[in-house]
DNA sequence: TCATACTGAAGGAGGTATGA
DNA sequence: TCATACCTCCTTCAGTATGA
């Protein structure tokens, strides 16, 4: 196994979209994935943009100093697409290097640190092309590359499957909610005030260390809250297990950011962004019902329609949410819903925990790419 | 005194424009 | 083509005002 210069293994290419055949435009995010471009391309001549084909790489060297990482990704799409002309596009030119293996190397934190180190003298934080080419990469035998890629892919596939199961489970819970509480006409109507408490009183002293959840930990399409961290309490919303966190500010509310708290111990109090509304059930109401309510399109539309504020910082008032009109709920029906959805929410929690461990395993695998065989065996043992 | 609401400012992220 | 300068939108933070 030996280290080889990146520049010796790849060829930089600049195929322009001169015929205009490629119409899909992608950018690259800092997680090293292609994403739909956010650029305003009205009036822009896309024939000047660069074409990226399958197994070709694109990277953005402009902000490595700023971001402390190199946005780089490999296309696995079956079609050609275009990227900004400011990007570099390259492909592997040697048969003893797998593009997929190279992409794994680019995902290593150590690779990003190395790129960042090379930007040291550049006032704008850009990474020079020659510096990128000079980076050395450990290249094992092609067979070992295949094994490493296969291991990584199997973990990635498992994570993907778990995410798909979670999506289906959440959709099932939402369907149950809709079937039992939305899809019927009722003449007996009340308001949410009978069913929920907003921002329940919980006490944390300034300086206490507690689990903290920030806005970015909330997802727009899944209930699980990611990576809460321990932090000194200095104000903010406070919550406990089974509470639902609803983002109340523009554009987080419109985007649907909502989370279900299930990561604390019994009676533990966590805290989070001041821009959360904490919602808790009253009496016989299921906490899962609250989460499903917060994801319901009609309820969200009601919340969004009541946002007020200036300078683009519009918020919904918790007191307004309590005025939302709702059919009078049958307690037996709520109990049945709770029983059915408990299984779903527990399974989602389990799969989410599993995915966190699998993600850690992926990181471990990447960090071990540069470790020799002997050391690898020692780690495995 | 503490909690909540509001707002300005800063930072993050994904770019484009332009001159050498 | 490359390097530098800068843009723009979105998101979050943190300080201050207000209310309980």
């Amino acid at each position: 196994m030996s280290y080889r210069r990146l520049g010796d293994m790849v060829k930089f290419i600049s195929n322009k979209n001169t015929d205009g055949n490629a119409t899909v435009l992608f950018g690259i995010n800092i997680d090293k994935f292609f994403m739909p471009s956010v650029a305003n391309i009205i009036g822009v001549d896309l024939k000047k943009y660069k074409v990226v084909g399958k197994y070709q790489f694109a990277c953005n060297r402009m902000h490595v100093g700023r971001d402390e990482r190199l946005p780089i990704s490999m296309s696995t799409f079956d079609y050609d697409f275009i990227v900004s002309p400011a990007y570099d596009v390259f492909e592997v030119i040697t048969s003893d290097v797998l593009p997929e293996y190279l992409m794994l190397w680019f995902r290593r934190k150590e690779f990003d640190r190395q790129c960042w180190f090379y930007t040291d003298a550049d006032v704008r934080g850009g990474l020079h092309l020659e510096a990128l080419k000079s980076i050395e990469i450990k290249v094992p035998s092609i067979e070992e590359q295949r094994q490493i890629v296969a291991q990584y892919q199997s973990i990635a596939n498992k994570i993907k499957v778990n995410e798909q199961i979670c999506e289906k489970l959440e959709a099932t819970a939402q369907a149950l909610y809709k079937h039992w509480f939305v899809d019927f006409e009722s003449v007996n109507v009340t308001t949410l005030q009978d069913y929920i408490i907003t921002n329940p009183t919980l006490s944390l002293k300034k300086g206490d260390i507690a689990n903290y959840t920030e806005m970015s930990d909330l997802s727009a399409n899944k209930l699980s809250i990611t990576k809460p961290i321990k932090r000194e309490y200095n104000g903010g919303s406070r919550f406990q297990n089974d509470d639902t966190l609803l983002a109340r500010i523009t554009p987080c509310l419109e985007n649907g950011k909502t989370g279900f708290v299930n990561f604390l111990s019994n009676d533990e109090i966590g805290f989070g962004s001041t821009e959360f509304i904490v919602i808790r059930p009253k009496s016989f109401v299921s906490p899962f019902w609250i989460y499903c309510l917060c994801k319901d399109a009609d309820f969200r539309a009601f919340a969004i329609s009541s946002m007020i504020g200036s300078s683009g910082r519009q918020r919904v008032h918790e007191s307004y949410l309590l005025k939302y009109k709702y059919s009078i709920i049958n307690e037996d029906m709520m109990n049945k819903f709770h029983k059915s959805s408990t299984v779903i929410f527990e399974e989602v929690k389990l799969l989410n925990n599993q995915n966190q461990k699998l993600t850690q395993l992926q990181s471990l695998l990447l960090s071990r790419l540069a470790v020799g065989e002997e050391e690898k065996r020692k780690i495995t043992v």
Side-chain angles (χ1 to χ4, degrees), chain A residues 212-281:
Chain A
Y212 173 75
T213 298
E214 60 187 3
M215 185 64 81
S216 59
D217 295 335
L218 256 59
S219 166
N221 48 29
K222 57 183 182 184
L223 65 88
S224 303
I225 296 169
T226 56
K227 53 173 185 184
I229 55 166
K230 293 282 184 187
R231 184 168 140 173
E232 201 173 282
Y233 175 70
N234 191 30
S237 56
R238 292 162 305 284
F239 48 78
Q240 289 182 300
N241 269 352
D242 289 346
D243 286 341
T244 292
L245 308 181
L246 179 71
R248 64 185 184 126
I249 191 168
T250 299
C252 304
L253 174 64
E254 290 95 324
N255 289 346
K257 282 199 164 194
T258 313
F260 186 78
V261 182
N262 58 11
F263 53 85
L264 301 172
S265 326
N266 289 341
D267 300 326
E268 182 185 353
I269 299 171
F271 72 108
S273 166
T274 56
E275 309 297 355
F276 294 155
I277 295 177
V278 181
I279 306 179
R280 179 173 293 185

Side-chain angles (χ1 to χ4, degrees), chain A residues 1 94-102 104 138-155 365 369 373 376:
Chain A
M1 192 187 295
T94 170
S95 59
D96 58 353
V97 177
L98 285 179
E100 294 95 332
Y101 172 80
L102 212 50
L104 289 193
K138 196 163 198 172
V139 182
S141 69
I142 192 82
E143 191 49 44
E144 196 177 338
Q145 288 178 50
R146 286 199 184 98
Q147 285 177 9
I148 292 167
V149 169
Q151 280 177 357
Y152 189 88
Q153 284 299 342
S154 70
I155 299 170
L365 187 64
L369 286 184
E373 281 308 297
K376 274 188 191 173

Side-chain angles (χ1 to χ4, degrees), chain A residues 156-172 221-222 348 351-352 355:
Chain A
N157 289 341
K158 178 61 181 165
I159 291 173
K160 194 173 176 185
V161 167
N162 281 353
E163 284 176 347
Q164 287 170 342
I165 294 171
C166 284
E167 277 177 28
K168 285 193 166 59
L169 286 169
E170 286 196 38
T172 304
N221 48 29
K222 57 183 182 184
V348 169
L351 291 171
N352 185 54
N355 270 4

Side-chain angles (χ1 to χ4, degrees), chain A residues 25-53:
Chain A
L25 173 61
F26 282 141
I28 307 170
N29 63 24
I30 57 172
D31 292 325
K32 301 181 192 281
F33 289 105
F34 287 110
M35 50 163 276
S37 173
V38 297
N40 181 358
I41 53 169
I42 296 170
V44 174
D45 181 10
L46 296 180
K47 291 182 178 175
K48 293 177 182 173
Y49 279 52
K50 292 180 181 175
V51 177
V52 182

Side-chain angles (χ1 to χ4, degrees), chain A residues 178-374:
Chain A
K178 195 164 182 291
H179 178 66
W180 282 348
F181 301 105
V182 180
D183 289 343
F184 66 93
E185 291 290 329
S186 173
V187 289
N188 300 315
V189 174
T190 181
T191 63
L192 274 190
Q193 193 155 17
D194 288 347
Y195 300 132
I196 66 171
I197 304 166
T198 53
N199 295 339
T201 305
L202 292 168
S203 183
L204 273 177
K205 289 178 188 167
K206 285 201 174 185
D208 280 356
I209 302 296
N211 269 304
Y212 173 75
T213 298
E214 60 187 3
M215 185 64 81
S216 59
D217 295 335
L218 256 59
S219 166
N221 48 29
K222 57 183 182 184
L223 65 88
S224 303
I225 296 169
T226 56
K227 53 173 185 184
I229 55 166
K230 293 282 184 187
R231 184 168 140 173
E232 201 173 282
Y233 175 70
N234 191 30
S237 56
R238 292 162 305 284
F239 48 78
Q240 289 182 300
N241 269 352
D242 289 346
D243 286 341
T244 292
L245 308 181
L246 179 71
R248 64 185 184 126
I249 191 168
T250 299
C252 304
L253 174 64
E254 290 95 324
N255 289 346
K257 282 199 164 194
T258 313
F260 186 78
V261 182
N262 58 11
F263 53 85
L264 301 172
S265 326
N266 289 341
D267 300 326
E268 182 185 353
I269 299 171
F271 72 108
S273 166
T274 56
E275 309 297 355
F276 294 155
I277 295 177
V278 181
I279 306 179
R280 179 173 293 185
K282 271 184 176 176
S283 61
F284 65 89
V285 173
S286 164
F288 310 131
W289 178 87
I290 304 263
Y291 176 79
C292 291
L293 167 77
C294 289
K295 296 299 288 182
D296 180 68
D298 189 61
F299 175 74
R300 301 200 75 86
F302 174 82
I304 291 165
S305 69
S306 70
M307 294 175 86
I308 55 172
S310 61
S311 63
R313 301 291 180 274
Q314 293 205 313
R315 291 176 178 82
V316 62
H317 279 257
E318 49 162 312
S319 58
Y320 192 84
L321 295 182
L322 298 174
K323 295 176 185 169
Y324 183 67
K325 288 185 179 164
Y326 208 93
S327 304
I328 290 180
I329 298 172
N330 177 293
E331 190 169 340
D332 283 343
M333 193 182 285
M334 179 62 79
N335 289 338
K336 282 179 188 169
F337 173 80
H338 182 72
K339 195 174 173 186
S340 304
S341 52
T342 298
V343 181
I344 294 173
F345 276 68
E346 284 300 317
E347 184 66 16
V348 169
K349 181 181 175 182
L350 197 70
L351 291 171
N352 185 54
N353 288 343
Q354 198 176 90
N355 270 4
Q356 284 180 9
K357 286 177 182 152
L358 287 169
T359 304
Q360 287 170 4
L361 197 58
Q362 274 186 320
S363 301
L364 184 65
L365 187 64
L366 291 181
S367 69
R368 286 174 54 189
L369 286 184
V371 177
E373 281 308 297
E374 188 57 33

